[in-house]
Amino acid sequence: MVQQVLYRALVSTRWLSESVLANRIGPSLQVLDVSWYPPGERDAQQEFRDKHIPGASFFDIEECKDKSSPYELMLPSEAHFANYVGQLGISNDTHVVVYDGDDLGSFYAPRAWWMFRVFGHRTVSVLNGGFKNWVKEGHPVTSELSRPEPAVFKATLNRSLLKTYTDMVENMESKRFLVVDSRSEGRYRGTEPEPGNEGLEPGHIPGSLNMPFFKFLTEAGFEKSPEEIRTMFQEKKVDLSQPLIATCRKGVTACHIALAAYLCGKPDVAIYDGSWSEWFRQAPPEHKLSEWKRNKA
């Protein structure tokens, strides 16, 4: 079997800073701030207007989603995604670097990374350490807004990287895929509440394993090394040679699982896009494991 050569999933702050200073941002290299925060906590767009990486554009995940879905951040259509990123100056030949401003170092960036990949774009990377470390290390920032020349992007959905509710129900029987949940242990087990006011109780899909996404990051906000990540998967008895689906609450932090596996040479982790938000509302009671009601009794 010929081993697939994987595109670099991470770029360093130093590499990107050198690219910015060399005026390489343009049709061949575009940078996107993909930050999102719960309403009332922080204003991602205002923070971008105040301070961002020079040449970066703002990727509004609230605009680039399926707005007809009852669930929060479901993938948009191919046409919607292609038009949206094309307006940001991204073509199929562009190297895209994504980052966010979360205090953890990375939160939404892996979701954007996966979105590009699921729509057939190979040359996409996450800024390792995020905006937090970019600022901490003294790299340049600006409030000047860029106006990239619109480009043509052709999106082709890679269905192997995406799982639906129907797929997950089928997997309950076939058990072909191992399912890994990236939420905190308390939310997975049902001992602590889900965030938000959606009436969503905590718990998990039967048979799924728990690997909280933040454990793939160092305290400083960088991705752990492939060796450390591989050990983490081994300790959880996750065989990276086998088919894998990642899930969370709304398909965001699950992408940290996909990124972590990719760094270990496994590029085919699928994301259950609806995740627990959809499963909780659609699945019968026997397919939802939780200690929540027992603790509330």
Side-chain angles (χ1 to χ4, degrees), residues 57-252:
S57 297
F58 187 76
F59 180 98
D60 189 347
I61 203 163
E62 289 285 357
E63 290 298 320
C64 194
K65 69 175 185 179
D66 179 359
K67 295 183 180 181
S68 68
S69 172
Y71 307 111
E72 286 183 77
L73 294 175
M74 300 290 273
L75 276 181
S77 66
E78 290 172 323
H80 184 164
F81 185 83
N83 180 67
Y84 186 82
V85 301
Q87 292 301 309
L88 297 177
I90 295 168
S91 75
N92 296 91
D93 297 320
T94 305
H95 177 196
V96 181
V97 175
V98 295
Y99 74 90
D100 65 64
D102 197 90
D103 292 336
L104 287 173
S106 181
F107 198 104
Y108 272 79
R111 169 71 181 189
W113 170 82
W114 173 77
M115 288 176 73
F116 275 96
R117 293 185 61 243
V118 81
F119 282 118
H121 196 65
R122 177 174 172 267
T123 54
V124 57
S125 310
V126 172
L127 176 63
N128 197 13
F131 194 56
K132 164 186 171 178
N133 283 289
W134 177 273
V135 172
K136 182 180 178 181
E137 294 168 8
H139 298 298
V141 296
T142 186
S143 61
E144 183 179 342
L145 300 179
S146 63
R147 291 175 174 78
E149 187 73 25
V152 175
F153 185 93
K154 179 175 173 53
T156 305
L157 182 64
N158 181 350
R159 295 190 179 277
S160 70
L161 296 180
L162 174 67
K163 295 300 175 186
T164 64
Y165 175 74
T166 300
D167 295 328
M168 299 301 288
V169 171
E170 291 175 353
N171 194 62
M172 292 286 293
E173 296 296 326
S174 70
K175 295 180 172 53
R176 178 168 171 253
F177 291 84
L178 179 63
V179 180
V180 180
D181 190 315
S182 66
R183 292 171 299 154
S184 67
E185 182 181 358
R187 289 165 59 194
Y188 167 84
R189 291 175 54 198
T191 58
E192 60 186 55
E194 285 290 328
N197 300 307
E198 306 155 16
L200 195 66
E201 294 178 8
H204 63 273
I205 299 170
S208 62
L209 300 176
N210 182 221
M211 294 188 74
F213 78 96
F214 49 83
K215 293 190 176 180
F216 292 108
L217 299 169
T218 67
E219 285 188 18
F222 296 94
E223 291 290 329
K224 290 182 177 177
S225 70
E227 293 73 26
E228 291 174 292
I229 293 171
R230 201 170 283 114
T231 298
M232 291 171 64
F233 280 121
Q234 290 170 350
E235 289 175 348
K236 285 289 186 175
K237 306 274 192 301
V238 175
D239 184 351
L240 292 179
S241 70
Q242 300 301 311
L244 188 64
I245 298 171
T247 184
C248 55
R249 179 169 73 99
K250 56 182 180 180
V252 173

Side-chain angles (χ1 to χ4, degrees), residues 12-80:
S12 68
T13 50
R14 178 179 176 180
W15 179 90
L16 186 56
S17 182
E18 290 173 351
S19 297
V20 168
L21 294 173
N23 294 314
R24 295 192 191 115
I25 309 301
S28 63
L29 175 64
Q30 292 287 1
V31 181
L32 301 179
D33 182 331
V34 301
S35 302
W36 184 93
Y37 309 109
E41 288 191 10
R42 292 169 62 179
D43 186 332
Q45 293 196 46
Q46 185 58 52
E47 289 187 22
F48 175 79
R49 287 190 288 268
D50 292 341
K51 184 170 61 178
H52 56 266
I53 295 174
S57 297
F58 187 76
F59 180 98
D60 189 347
I61 203 163
E62 289 285 357
E63 290 298 320
C64 194
K65 69 175 185 179
D66 179 359
K67 295 183 180 181
S68 68
S69 172
Y71 307 111
E72 286 183 77
L73 294 175
M74 300 290 273
L75 276 181
S77 66
E78 290 172 323
H80 184 164

